[in-house]
Amino acid sequence: MATLTFVGHSTFMLQTDHGARLVIDPFLTENPATDITPEDLEADFILVTHGHHDHVGDLIPLARRTGATIIASYEIASYMEQKHGCPVSPQHIGGGVNYPFGYVKMTAALHGGKLDLPGAEGFTTVPAGFLIDLGEGQRFYYAGDTGLSMEMQLLKGKVDIAALPIGDRFTMGPGDAVTAVEFIEPSVVIPFHYDTWPEIKQDISAFVDAVSGLANVQVMQPGGSLEF
Ligand code: NI
Ligand code: MN
């Protein structure tokens, strides 16, 4: 069994049934949704969708302490390698790589590209999501920060569990997230990127009602886990 833990806001941990420890978009210290610190997490791989502060806030300390390999766009990977000496595995939109734990494909996301880290000028990039294929029944799509896009239709039949942002303002809102579920047809939907701040406050029960006929909705609380 793989174990997916929601740290809060946009940060997830995924432990595969082979024991690999993945952290996605580490944002802890200034994350109002969690008390977990970078010292609490272990990681073999850190996956980064894009450079905004609420996704990379603790990337550098976590990478330094764990020695984890950074899986990110070429530009973010280059920054972490050149500026911080981290082991990296650069990828880009549409491309996948076989890792010891499974296959990771970088998916398109409609969002901003700024890298909010010191000395990152020149490392411009585009944002992404990840399709993490751990095997049959364990295909996890983490959309990252994105608006609804037609590209999501390409994921139909390829996703068992989909984590989708629903906070509106900076990403899809609940209504477009329902359309994303219609496009992708996952078995399980996990909403994230909402309620962390007043600007992205949402009525989660309304979203659950709207999507429950389409997929099994798992509303994860910070610190909560899901096995699949
Ligand atoms: Ni963002
Ligand atoms: Mn964000």
Side-chain angles (χ1 to χ4, degrees):
M1 299 288 273
T3 303
L4 181 70
T5 302
F6 180 49
V7 176
H9 182 58
S10 55
T11 306
F12 285 83
M13 294 185 295
L14 177 59
Q15 176 143 358
T16 74
D17 46 12
H18 301 290
R21 299 163 300 184
L22 284 56
V23 172
I24 304 173
D25 284 1
F27 171 57
L28 304 159
T29 306
E30 295 177 29
N31 185 343
T34 187
D35 295 326
I36 294 174
T37 74
E39 288 72 39
D40 297 326
L41 294 188
E42 295 301 331
D44 303 300
F45 297 88
I46 303 172
L47 286 71
V48 182
T49 60
H50 69 293
H52 289 166
H53 179 68
D54 59 318
H55 299 257
V56 300
D58 290 279
L59 173 60
I60 293 168
L62 184 64
R64 279 209 184 116
R65 189 176 57 76
T66 61
T69 297
I70 313 296
I71 299 174
S73 69
Y74 168 77
E75 293 83 4
I76 293 175
S78 297
Y79 167 82
M80 291 301 291
E81 182 178 48
Q82 293 173 29
K83 299 284 188 181
H84 301 283
C86 295
V88 298
S89 179
Q91 295 190 208
H92 237 300
I93 305 294
V97 173
N98 269 310
Y99 295 97
F101 59 85
Y103 183 77
V104 176
K105 184 174 183 178
M106 190 167 274
T107 58
L110 293 178
H111 195 63
K114 182 166 180 264
L115 181 49
D116 288 331
L117 289 171
E121 300 79 8
F123 293 87
T124 57
T125 189
V126 295
F130 291 107
L131 178 57
I132 304 170
D133 187 344
L134 303 177
E136 200 55 42
Q138 294 186 318
R139 298 168 303 175
F140 175 53
Y141 170 53
Y142 177 83
D145 282 9
T146 184
L148 178 66
S149 77
M150 297 297 280
E151 276 72 12
M152 291 174 181
Q153 296 185 3
L154 298 171
L155 298 170
K156 181 178 172 180
K158 296 175 180 166
V159 175
D160 299 301
I161 298 163
L164 303 175
I166 68 157
D168 223 345
R169 183 178 288 270
F170 299 114
T171 68
M172 289 189 283
D176 280 353
V178 171
T179 303
V181 173
E182 291 172 341
F183 283 174
I184 300 165
E185 298 185 1
S187 302
V188 176
V189 174
I190 301 167
F192 73 97
H193 212 280
Y194 69 97
D195 282 3
T196 316
W197 298 281
E199 292 83 357
I200 55 173
K201 185 89 182 145
Q202 290 299 330
D203 180 352
I204 189 62
S205 62
F207 175 73
V208 170
D209 288 346
V211 88
S212 58
L214 302 168
N216 171 6
V217 191
Q218 294 283 334
V219 178
M220 298 183 74
Q221 301 305 318
S225 292
L226 178 72
E227 294 202 327
F228 58 90

